[in-house]
Amino acid sequence: MRVLSGIQPTGNLHLGNYLGAIRNWVRMQEEMPAADAATGSADSRCFFFLADLHSISEHLAPADRLRNVREMTAALVACGIDPDRSVLFNQARVPAHAEMQWLLNGTARMGWLNRMTQFKDKAGKNKEGASIALFTYPVLQAADVLLYQATHVPVGEDQKQHLELTRDIAIKFNADFDVELFTIPDPYIPKQTARIMSLRDGTAKMSKSDPSDMSRINLTDDDDTLVQKVRKARTDPEPIPADPAELEGRAEATNLIDIYAAFSGQDRAAICAAFGGQGFGAFKPALADLLVHHLAPIRDRYVALKDDDAALDAILVKGAGKAAEAAAPTLKGAYEAMGLMR
Ligand code: ADP
Ligand code: TRP
C-alpha cells in the first residue's frame, strides 16, 4: 500500500480545507505502520506534497507563490503531518515530476483531456486565453501519482476524473510499451469527508474567496474570534429537531451540526438526540467550546511555524530528497521503456 496525495498551495486556510482534505491525510498517516527506521524502509510511508508546479496554471506573483507553499507546509505540520513519518515536499524541488509529465505527454490523448470538467470550469468562456498548463494539468497529476507507484490516492469527489485519467494513462503506457511499469492507482474518497458550508449562507461552500471573513473559520482565528463567529453564524428560528430527518431544508442548521459532528465524532442522530428541542442559543456555546478545544492547539503550532522560513524550507528540502530517491527507479524505467535511455 502506497498512499500519495497533493494539495494546491493556497493561502488563508480555513475549516473546510482542514476537515475536507488535511485531516484525512493525518488519519491515513496514523493508520500506516511507522516506517522501519532501522532498515530505512520507506514502504510504509505516505507521500504528501504541495502542488506548486500545478499552481503555475494560473498567474500569481512569485512572492505570493513562495509564501503559499510555506504557509501550507506550516498548516500541514500544525495539523499533524509528521515530516519524519511521512514524506512531505513540494513538487518543484523534485524535477522527476516535470520530466515524467513530458514523457506521459506522449501517451495522453487530446480527446481525453478535452473531456476534463475542471479545465472547462476553470477556463470558462476564455478557452483560447487559458494556459497550456491548465489544459495539461491532469497529465502532471498522473505523473505525480505514477512516479511513486501509489495505490491509494485520497482526494475529494472533484478529483475523481483526474484519477481516472491517471489510470487510463498508466494502462495505455504499460500496453504500448509492453511493460508492467506503472501500478494502477485507486482514488480513495474517505467516507466521513465533511463538506463545510459558509457560516453566512448554508448553500455556499466555505471558501477563502468569500469576501466576508465572518463566513469562514480561519486556521489563524483566535479563541474570541472563533466564539464570535459561531455566535453570529446564520441559523433559523426553529429549535434543533430530535430526529435528524427533520434537518431537511435547513442548510445552516445542518452545517453547524455537521461541524459539531466532525469534531465530536458523534453522528447527526446522536447530536439531535442530545440537543433536540433546544434552540441554537444553547447549541452554539457548545459548538464554540468544541472548536476552541480542537483548533487552538493547531492554531498555536501554525502561528509559531508559519513565518519560520528556514525551518519550513528545511522540512521541504529533506522531504524532496526522500521523494526524489523514491521516484528515481520509475522515471528511469519510463525512459528505458520508451527507448530514450538504456
Ligand atoms: P477554496 O475553496 O477556499 O479556494 P481550495 O479549492 O483551495 O479551497 O481547496 C483546497 C482543498 O480543501 C481541496 O482539497 C478541497 O476539496 C478542500 N476544501 C476547500 N473548501 C472546502 C469546504 N468548504 N469543505 C470541504 N473541503 C473543502
Ligand atoms: N489536483 C489536486 C487538487 O486540486 C491536487 C493534486 C495535484 C493531486 N497532484 C495530485 C491530488 C496527485 C492527488 C494526487 O486538489
Side-chain angles (χ1 to χ4, degrees), residues 87-90 93-94 315-325:
V87 180
L88 176 60
F89 65 103
N90 62 312
R93 281 200 169 86
V94 184
I315 289 171
L316 293 173
V317 167
K318 200 167 152 205
K322 293 186 217 166
E325 199 179 307

Side-chain angles (χ1 to χ4, degrees), residues 221-240:
D221 286 342
D222 61 27
D223 291 355
D224 285 348
T225 309
L226 288 174
V227 172
Q228 282 294 332
K229 284 182 176 176
V230 172
R231 186 159 57 208
K232 297 214 169 123
R234 193 162 148 198
T235 46
D236 55 46
E238 301 299 317
I240 295 176

Side-chain angles (χ1 to χ4, degrees), residues 318-342:
K318 200 167 152 205
K322 293 186 217 166
E325 199 179 307
T330 309
L331 182 64
K332 183 165 176 281
Y335 276 114
E336 287 173 357
M338 298 172 82
L340 293 165
M341 216 189 263
R342 55 161 305 151

